[in-house]
């Protein structure tokens, strides 16, 4: 019976990327991703020396960062939104052309590799839910050597799919359900921002917050409807698995 219960415990876990699985480091912090934004701003609107750091962008999707940055620099919101397809295409174009530099200014956070390995060995469906554009998100996973732990075929919800993070949880669940027609007993999303917590809960997943980004535990807990689990980091794989009941 014990083995049958284990077999029947179908679990799906999605992870945010920046601040959850990986962190930016040094003067070249997340350089390629930032340069892709700058490339898009210049190619589509002719804007030079434009930085996404002009706005508060932690926890936002790439499309929202594109629009909000452009609005900050004087481009009307409707004009920026209309050009989103071009902007996203230019970002992906730049990232692919400079893929060899994807790991510059990035490193995997402590405990992540051990946790992904443990989840994979338990048969957990592992995907991404991130504001990153899909191609850039998987390039980061590949460049930092952790893509091999994710479920094949790859699945998730990305900034390529929608501007609102809450929708990405639902998109990832729909994609996973096509891969696993029997569905899941438990869906979980792990992230480091209040937007991750709200998105998980609005999308019907258990929210697990980690304090490895710029937000403190109190801020993450405040974003929850009361059911979120807040962890200091992802270094205790055994406790994480116990939390999932596997």
């Amino acid at each position: 019976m014990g083995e049958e219960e284990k077999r029947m415990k179908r679990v799906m876990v999605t992870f945010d990327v920046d601040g959850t699985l990986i962190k930016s480091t040094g003067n070249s912090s997340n350089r390629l991703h930032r340069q892709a934004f700058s490339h898009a701003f210049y190619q589509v609107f002719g804007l030079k020396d434009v930085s996404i750091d002009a706005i508060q962008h932690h926890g936002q999707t790439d499309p929202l960062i594109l629009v909000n940055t452009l609005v900050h620099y004087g481009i009307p919101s409707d004009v920026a939104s209309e050009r989103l397809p071009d902007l996203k295409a230019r970002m992906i174009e730049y990232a692919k052309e400079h893929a060899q530099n994807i790991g510059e200014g990035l490193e995997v956070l402590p405990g992540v590799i051990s946790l992904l390995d443990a989840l994979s060995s338990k048969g957990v469906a592992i995907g991404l839910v991130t504001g990153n554009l899909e191609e850039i998100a998987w390039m980061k996973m590949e460049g930092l050597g952790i893509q091999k732990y994710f479920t094949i075929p790859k699945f998730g919800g990305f900034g390529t799919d929608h501007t609102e993070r809450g929708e990405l949880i639902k998109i990832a669940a729909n994609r996973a359900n096509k891969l696993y027609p029997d569905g899941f007993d438990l869906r979980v999303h792990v992230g480091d921002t209040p937007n991750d917590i709200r998105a998980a809960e609005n999308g019907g997943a258990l929210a697990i917050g980690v304090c490895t980004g710029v937000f403190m535990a109190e801020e993450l807990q405040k974003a929850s409807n009361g059911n979120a689990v807040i962890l200091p980091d992802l270094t205790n794989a055994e406790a994480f698995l116990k939390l999932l009941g596997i």
Side-chain angles (χ1 to χ4, degrees), residues 119-133:
L119 291 171
S120 179
S121 69
K122 292 286 188 178
V124 172
I126 310 171
L128 294 176
V129 168
T130 171
N132 287 195
L133 302 181

Side-chain angles (χ1 to χ4, degrees), residues 1-207:
M1 185 66 178
E3 288 302 314
E4 183 180 352
E5 287 176 352
K6 284 183 181 179
R7 180 183 63 77
M8 293 181 65
K9 181 77 171 185
R10 296 183 297 270
V11 180
M12 164 188 162
V13 180
T14 56
F15 290 90
D16 172 54
V17 172
D18 301 294
T20 300
L21 293 175
I22 65 178
K23 68 176 180 178
S24 300
T25 59
N27 295 329
S28 59
S29 169
N30 203 6
R31 176 173 286 179
L32 181 59
H33 200 172
R34 290 173 179 274
Q35 289 175 333
F37 277 108
S38 298
H39 175 79
F41 295 138
Y42 178 68
Q43 290 294 318
V44 179
F45 286 101
L47 296 175
K48 294 182 178 180
D49 302 319
V50 171
S51 172
I52 63 172
D53 290 328
I55 64 165
Q56 167 56 262
H57 55 76
H58 297 287
Q60 291 191 10
T61 60
D62 281 6
L64 276 181
I65 294 171
L66 285 165
V67 171
N68 291 341
T69 302
L70 287 167
V71 168
H72 176 84
Y73 285 97
I75 304 296
S77 178
D78 59 335
V79 174
S81 297
E82 186 178 330
R83 299 302 300 275
L84 268 177
D86 292 334
L87 289 160
K88 290 189 286 187
R90 297 290 80 75
M91 283 186 68
I92 294 167
E93 167 189 88
Y94 184 90
K96 287 182 175 178
E97 288 176 357
H98 299 83
Q100 71 276 10
N101 301 324
I102 190 68
E104 189 174 354
L106 294 173
E107 65 181 47
V108 179
L109 279 160
V112 164
I113 291 176
S114 295
L115 176 60
L116 290 175
D117 187 41
L119 291 171
S120 179
S121 69
K122 292 286 188 178
V124 172
I126 310 171
L128 294 176
V129 168
T130 171
N132 287 195
L133 302 181
E134 181 172 6
E135 290 87 343
I136 294 176
W138 290 121
M139 284 172 64
K140 289 179 180 180
M141 298 300 95
E142 178 66 23
L144 292 170
I146 58 176
Q147 180 170 297
K148 61 186 178 182
Y149 297 108
F150 289 83
T151 299
I152 300 296
K154 301 190 298 289
F155 73 93
F158 305 89
T160 324
D161 300 314
H162 205 281
T163 57
E164 296 299 330
R165 191 174 287 264
E167 292 301 313
L168 303 185
I169 296 286
K170 299 172 186 175
I171 290 169
N174 288 337
R175 288 172 174 164
N177 284 333
K178 290 179 181 177
L179 298 175
Y180 297 85
D182 291 335
F184 298 96
D185 302 304
L186 176 66
R187 290 192 293 113
V188 179
H189 176 62
V190 187
D192 67 295
T193 74
N195 282 346
D196 285 298
I197 302 298
R198 286 188 285 264
E201 293 180 344
N202 290 339
L206 170 65

Side-chain angles (χ1 to χ4, degrees), residues 188-232:
V188 179
H189 176 62
V190 187
D192 67 295
T193 74
N195 282 346
D196 285 298
I197 302 298
R198 286 188 285 264
E201 293 180 344
N202 290 339
L206 170 65
I208 297 181
V210 287
C211 305
T212 45
V214 301
F215 294 97
M216 305 297 288
E218 293 78 11
E219 295 172 282
L220 298 177
Q221 196 67 65
K222 188 176 180 181
S224 173
N225 60 18
N227 295 319
V229 177
I230 310 301
L231 303 175

